[in-house]
Amino acid sequence: MKTLASCLFISAAVLASAGNALASEALAKKYNCLACHTVDKKIIGPAYKDVAAKYKGDAGAEAKLIGKVKKGGAGVWGQIPMPPNATVPDADVKTLVKWVLSFK
């Protein structure tokens, strides 16, 4: 039987996770990521769920994607290039990449 303390801990963890997701979505809006990407369908760039699926199980995915976001790139998802986002703070890029990789 669960104790009140364990239920409160689980509830706090769920709320923190939801808060992180909202904060990450806010960052995606702030840096205009959603002009080319959505969670579940391709617009100009790939859907975040497709990115997460492609890199699932890849231990180096976070570092690869952080580099891709900062430097830009083309050819992985088609010929339309993703522009570099060199002015986005590293901590925000890391948060965004972790958020994208969290989709299932």
Side-chain angles (χ1 to χ4, degrees):
M1 187 167 181
K2 292 183 181 178
T3 66
L4 178 59
S6 67
C7 289
L8 290 174
F9 177 77
I10 291 168
S11 296
V14 169
L15 289 173
S17 178
N20 289 339
L22 290 174
S24 299
E25 184 176 358
L27 285 176
K29 288 177 182 175
K30 176 181 179 179
Y31 296 116
N32 211 21
C33 305
L34 300 177
C36 297
H37 300 277
T38 68
V39 171
D40 58 359
K41 67 179 180 175
K42 177 181 178 9
I43 299 180
I44 295 170
Y48 291 146
K49 285 184 177 184
D50 293 339
V51 174
K54 179 180 182 78
Y55 290 98
K56 183 178 180 178
D58 181 344
E62 187 177 314
K64 287 177 198 173
L65 293 175
I66 287 171
K68 182 76 70 173
V69 171
K70 291 296 274 188
K71 297 175 187 166
V76 176
W77 297 95
Q79 293 306 308
I80 298 175
M82 183 172 87
N85 293 279
T87 61
V88 178
D90 291 347
D92 288 351
V93 172
K94 185 172 185 168
T95 298
L96 286 163
V97 167
K98 284 179 177 266
W99 178 62
V100 169
L101 290 173
S102 74
F103 288 105
K104 294 182 170 72

